[in-house]
Amino acid sequence: MGAPNWTYNETQTLLNMLSTGQTCRNIAAALRRSKNSVIGRINRLGLCRPAPPIRIKAPRPTPQLARGRKQKPMRAVAPAPAPSPPKKLIPEPPIKGRLGAGNAVRSLEPGQCRFPIGDPVKPDFRFCCRPCEGESVYCPEHSAAAFTPKRGPT
């Protein structure tokens, strides 16, 4: 069977101790209840538990060398190379045969690049329409932008 119900005095003691910053473990010991019982009562009352105290670790002492021994020089580590900025596609001037927003993808001719340029809801939306390479649906430039090479195991 479960623990007996909380009395008014126990609830008041819980609230008083909680307001003074006591931990749930200390409150439970004072009320002769389990810590989980105290936590459950706090949650049912809609109160917040006190945050646990922050423990700051003391810095480790530097190791001392035995007499007569020399310290090894530290190896210099080369900094990691900065990642290259991503290649940006620069909008090109319109080429004859480019399709606008009013045309659907299916109206493109076979062998024309289907890479969308711009926002489909804006009037300047269009498809690239440059010649495709092989079985791809994109021109070489847009194919490189759309597909990334597989990475090796890391």
Side-chain angles (χ1 to χ4, degrees), residues 59-144:
R60 291 184 178 180
T62 56
Q64 299 293 324
L65 296 174
R67 290 185 181 195
R69 296 186 75 179
K70 293 183 178 178
Q71 188 173 6
K72 293 181 182 179
M74 295 191 62
R75 267 191 266 166
V77 178
S84 60
K87 186 177 178 182
K88 293 184 179 180
L89 295 177
I90 301 170
E92 299 176 9
I95 298 174
K96 184 179 177 185
R98 289 211 173 173
L99 301 175
N103 298 319
V105 175
R106 60 182 157 239
S107 63
L108 287 167
E109 296 293 325
Q112 285 184 321
C113 180
R114 286 165 162 64
F115 194 85
I117 298 174
D119 189 356
V121 296
K122 295 193 178 172
D124 63 340
F125 175 75
R126 64 188 188 278
F127 295 99
C128 175
C129 296
R130 281 196 234 150
C132 295
E133 188 175 83
E135 295 289 320
S136 178
V137 294
Y138 299 131
C139 65
E141 180 183 352
H142 289 127
S143 183

Side-chain angles (χ1 to χ4, degrees), residues 6-20 22 26-28 30-32 38:
W6 285 74
T7 64
Y8 176 78
N9 290 337
E10 286 177 323
T11 303
Q12 291 304 314
T13 305
L14 168 75
L15 294 173
N16 290 337
M17 292 180 79
L18 195 62
S19 67
T20 60
Q22 295 290 323
N26 293 345
I27 296 170
L31 295 175
R32 303 183 131 224
V38 171

Side-chain angles (χ1 to χ4, degrees), residues 50-61:
I54 298 173
R55 295 180 183 169
I56 300 173
K57 292 183 181 180
R60 291 184 178 180

